[in-house]
Amino acid sequence: MISVRGYAADRAGAPLTPYRFERREPGDKDVLIDIQYCGICHSDIHAARGEWGEALFPMVPGHEIVGRVARAGSRATRFKPGDLVGVGCFVDSCRTCPECKEGREQFCHTDGGTVFTYNDLEKDEKTRTYGGYSSQIVVDEGYVLKVPAGLSPEKAAPLLCAGITTYSPLRHWKVGKGHRLGVLGLGGLGHMAVKLGASLGAEVTVLSSTPAKESEAKRLGAHHFVPTSDAAKVSAFTGELDFIIDTVSAPHDLNRAVSLLRRDGTLILVGASPTPLSVAAFPLIMLRRKISGSLIGGIRETQEMLDHCAAHTVQADVEVIPMADVNKAYDRVVKSDVRYRFVIDMKTL
Ligand code: NAP
Ligand code: ZN
Ligand code: ZN
């Protein structure tokens, strides 16, 4: 076993504190990674605070992991010691179902389904998974990404969740030139949706509850900014947008967002409000509008996203923090006070 240092929540809602635990001994196809940086996703907060229901504690959150390979198993062919690599939201899946075979491992639901990076059990159904707020992680090389040259490790870390979660729907719906894309909520996911949407050629409109984010939204690549507190400015966009990526982490008015879509437009829900959102019939039926969800992205698509980011110099805007500040960072994320992703420097563990 490998002894690892990390930070964990002991129970739902408890502050994160230092925690020592063991990881499995790396197998033939595994790589052992020395973690350099780990982003703080709002999902970490929902999970550690038990907002999504039952969870496994102690919980070491973190699924935006970048580090260097320390050791590669004898049958691992894709990586060697020293390589800069990433690990995202899952570390295994059944590998045989149609979803896995076609590179949509996030939707695996056979044989226990996708194994998430933390708050889950490995395929042996007993080894707990622990996330990236830790010194090292052991992962099968098939679930590890290459971080391309040109990306800096701390700014690449958030791409492993915030990046792929916004890139995947943009690609699925082929969003690009000629499309008007709305981004609801300018946090970690939202700021990546702006950068990636703009890099694909879309005309991007940010809809934000924080008016002070206007100038930053433009700097990130948005063409328009709509403060959601200003009813007149919101109404001016009624029926205007082809797509909206909704990244809001809390209950909010979905129907007002839907009304901004044009005929056959799609609202793509990625934000995971812990309580249900209500849907009114008329905004949907009047213009045949749609609401869909989207979950992260598969391994192949995550690599494609990282390569796209390197080619278009798209990286996250980060505030690097020491491990001991994680609880303060959680409170700031919940207050929408993050510009635009906190990333923990694991040297400070
Ligand atoms: P985040 O950084 O906290 O961003 C969320 C943004 O939503 C905030 O910055 C804020 O933007 C807006 N917001 C927050 N509370 C609001 C409220 N009560 N009313 C209106 N707007 C509000 O969070 P994140 O890390 O981007 O994650 C966003 C959500 O996506 C979370 O629920 C997370 O669990 C989920 N998620 C889903 C997936 C997936 O695969 N579907 C993957 C990762 C994360 P403004 O200040 O601009 O209004
Ligand atoms: Zn995440
Ligand atoms: Zn599968």
Side-chain angles (χ1 to χ4, degrees):
M1 300 294 266
I2 299 203
S3 175
V4 174
R5 287 168 299 120
Y7 259 54
D10 265 347
R11 61 194 147 74
L16 275 67
T17 50
Y19 178 63
R20 213 174 239 290
F21 60 103
E22 298 202 313
R23 296 207 186 264
R24 68 161 193 269
E25 198 56 44
D28 287 357
K29 297 277 278 175
D30 288 336
V31 290
L32 171 68
I33 300 165
D34 289 335
I35 300 175
Q36 293 182 325
Y37 295 99
C38 186
I40 295 178
C41 177
H42 205 121
S43 300
D44 300 347
I45 303 173
H46 290 309
R49 295 187 172 176
E51 293 171 358
W52 286 338
E54 251 180 69
L56 301 173
F57 293 94
M59 181 191 297
V60 177
H63 58 208
E64 294 185 335
I65 300 167
V66 165
R68 295 233 176 242
V69 173
R71 207 197 308 161
S74 58
R75 292 197 306 126
T77 53
R78 297 182 54 227
F79 300 103
K80 56 180 190 319
D83 287 352
L84 190 66
V85 295
V87 177
C89 297
F90 57 90
V91 289
D92 205 353
S93 62
C94 86
R95 308 174 194 208
T96 54
C97 75
E99 300 293 359
C100 285
K101 284 221 178 318
E102 287 164 31
R104 292 184 297 264
E105 301 89 346
Q106 77 274 28
F107 298 133
C108 175
H109 51 266
T110 308
D111 183 26
T114 314
V115 176
F116 291 95
T117 304
Y118 63 85
N119 190 26
D120 208 350
L121 295 176
E122 302 240 25
K123 285 292 172 203
D124 64 6
E125 288 178 22
K126 54 176 197 262
T127 307
R128 284 272 307 277
T129 62
Y130 294 105
Y133 300 1
S134 59
S135 52
Q136 292 182 305
I137 190 166
V138 177
V139 184
D140 182 289
E141 67 164 358
Y143 294 79
V144 175
L145 289 309
K146 286 181 209 295
V147 176
L151 295 181
S152 61
E154 72 279 17
K155 294 179 183 168
L159 302 178
L160 276 307
C161 176
I164 185 60
T165 301
T166 48
Y167 181 83
S168 181
L170 289 170
R171 298 294 292 156
H172 177 75
W173 275 278
K174 301 186 169 56
V175 177
K177 240 187 173 44
H179 285 136
R180 303 186 80 186
L181 169 69
V183 175
L184 184 56
L186 192 61
L189 266 56
H191 97 292
M192 289 311 309
V194 170
K195 290 187 183 209
L196 289 166
S199 77
L200 292 166
E203 183 182 326
V204 181
T205 300
V206 167
L207 302 137
S208 169
S209 65
T210 312
K213 290 179 181 171
E214 174 157 10
S215 60
E216 294 165 44
K218 302 264 171 73
R219 175 181 59 77
L220 296 168
H223 304 87
H224 315 280
F225 181 90
V226 179
T228 50
S229 53
D230 186 330
K233 286 192 178 151
V234 175
S235 296
F237 276 81
T238 301
E240 288 292 316
L241 303 172
D242 296 285
F243 299 94
I244 295 173
I245 296 194
D246 179 343
T247 76
V248 175
S249 51
H252 60 287
D253 185 354
L254 213 51
N255 303 307
R256 196 162 65 137
V258 168
S259 72
L260 306 184
L261 294 168
R262 58 193 298 176
R263 173 176 51 77
D264 290 320
T266 305
L267 180 136
I268 303 154
L269 196 59
V270 291
S273 166
T275 51
L277 305 169
S278 76
V279 176
F282 279 99
L284 287 175
I285 64 183
M286 289 312 281
L287 287 173
R288 203 163 52 194
R289 296 158 168 140
K290 298 183 279 290
I291 297 178
S292 179
S294 191
L295 174 68
I296 40 178
I299 292 295
R300 212 182 293 154
E301 193 173 46
T302 305
Q303 190 63 58
E304 180 190 303
M305 177 274 308
L306 289 168
D307 297 342
H308 173 91
C309 287
H312 292 80
T313 37
V314 171
Q315 308 197 77
D317 280 35
V318 301
E319 197 172 322
V320 177
I321 59 162
M323 186 74 247
D325 284 357
V326 64
N327 298 302
K328 271 191 270 174
Y330 272 26
D331 290 340
R332 280 186 54 196
V333 171
V334 171
K335 284 189 254 168
S336 304
D337 175 25
V338 51
R339 304 288 194 279
Y340 280 90
R341 200 54 138 188
F342 288 114
V343 172
I344 303 164
D345 181 350
M346 285 309 150
K347 281 198 304 290
T348 63
L349 235 186

